[in-house]
Amino acid sequence: GSNSSSSGSSSSSADQSMTDVREGVQQNGQDPQTGTVYFFGLDRPGQLCKITAILMSYGVSILSLRVQSGTVAFGKCDFSPDSGGPLAENCIRIAFDGTKLDVPMLQREIQNLGMEVGYCVTCITIDSQNRLRTRLPSYNLRMKAFILAYLKISGRSHRPVKRRPQTTTSFVAPSRRSMHPQRRRSCVGHSWRRRCSSS
């Protein structure tokens, strides 16, 4: 009950803020525009602070924002929401004066900032130009490319690893007491290195 009421109040407050921004821009005789800024990449602390600072420096008002942490869905090689995951997508609803904002310049600034803070994939959509699309197809393709690069760099693979079948032999291991001390230390070291690498 509390969750539904809070979500309803947050959505109503976002709608009210968007109405206030539009009315304020209209009173100044300007062209009110709305859109969405997308960021995708590595989740790092301090990203949102730098993003909001850039938007405010361009006179852009933030209507709402959503940050979704996640990881890689190996079956589809796609982004999968997961709390505390190493990746994140940031969606920010914005409002601005269409007669004053240089959108291509803001796009370049957003792209440079994204590379700086860890969001290597960025996108800006303007509602008046992309009414039927929430995301651009190029953004989705670059997301896929980033995920593939992330898997390669991190040493992971989206393909299942095939384990070699275990074979049984009639070899009888010598007892630990009969094993030479130097041989025993080398076995322990090998086992410890294998445990560290597996963890």
Side-chain angles (χ1 to χ4, degrees), residues 2 12 20 24 27 86 104 106 114 128 135 140 162 168 186:
S2 60
S12 61
D20 294 341
Q27 289 176 1
L106 178 61
S128 60
R135 297 178 179 177
N140 295 328
K162 295 182 179 180
T168 58
S186 64

Side-chain angles (χ1 to χ4, degrees), residues 115-189:
M115 296 295 293
E116 176 186 341
V117 301
Y119 285 137
C120 298
V121 184
T122 60
C123 175
I124 299 180
T125 60
I126 308 302
D127 294 343
S128 60
Q129 302 174 2
N130 303 276
R131 295 180 179 179
L132 300 179
R133 296 176 179 175
T134 56
R135 297 178 179 177
L136 296 179
S138 59
Y139 174 78
N140 295 328
L141 291 176
R142 284 183 285 124
M143 278 185 64
K144 289 277 190 180
F146 178 87
I147 291 175
L148 289 174
Y150 170 78
L151 291 174
K152 184 177 181 179
I153 294 175
S154 61
R156 302 179 183 180
S157 175
H158 60 281
R159 296 180 179 179
V161 178
K162 295 182 179 180
R163 295 185 177 181
R164 301 175 65 179
Q166 296 182 354
T167 57
T168 58
T169 60
S170 58
F171 173 74
V172 179
S175 63
R176 292 186 176 271
R177 292 183 178 180
S178 61
M179 188 181 298
H180 193 273
Q182 183 66 27
R183 171 69 173 172
R184 189 185 306 169
R185 285 195 297 269
S186 64
C187 291
V188 173

Side-chain angles (χ1 to χ4, degrees), residues 66-82:
R66 178 182 62 86
V67 181
Q68 178 67 68
S69 300
T71 184
V72 177
F74 292 96
K76 299 180 180 179
C77 194
D78 202 354
F79 178 68
S80 176
D82 183 14

Side-chain angles (χ1 to χ4, degrees), residues 19-30:
T19 302
D20 294 341
V21 169
R22 285 181 173 177
E23 290 178 353
V25 174
Q26 287 174 347
Q27 289 176 1
N28 294 330
Q30 307 299 336

Side-chain angles (χ1 to χ4, degrees), residues 22-94:
R22 285 181 173 177
E23 290 178 353
V25 174
Q26 287 174 347
Q27 289 176 1
N28 294 330
Q30 307 299 336
D31 179 26
Q33 294 284 339
T34 55
T36 306
V37 184
Y38 297 92
F39 294 86
F40 178 77
L42 301 176
D43 190 12
R44 295 175 180 172
Q47 292 171 318
L48 187 59
C49 181
K50 294 182 179 181
I51 292 172
T52 54
I54 286 291
L55 294 177
M56 293 178 63
S57 68
Y58 276 81
V60 175
S61 300
I62 297 177
L63 304 177
S64 64
L65 59 90
R66 178 182 62 86
V67 181
Q68 178 67 68
S69 300
T71 184
V72 177
F74 292 96
K76 299 180 180 179
C77 194
D78 202 354
F79 178 68
S80 176
D82 183 14
S83 178
L87 306 179
E89 184 179 37
N90 197 328
C91 303
I92 305 176
R93 289 288 297 162
I94 61 173

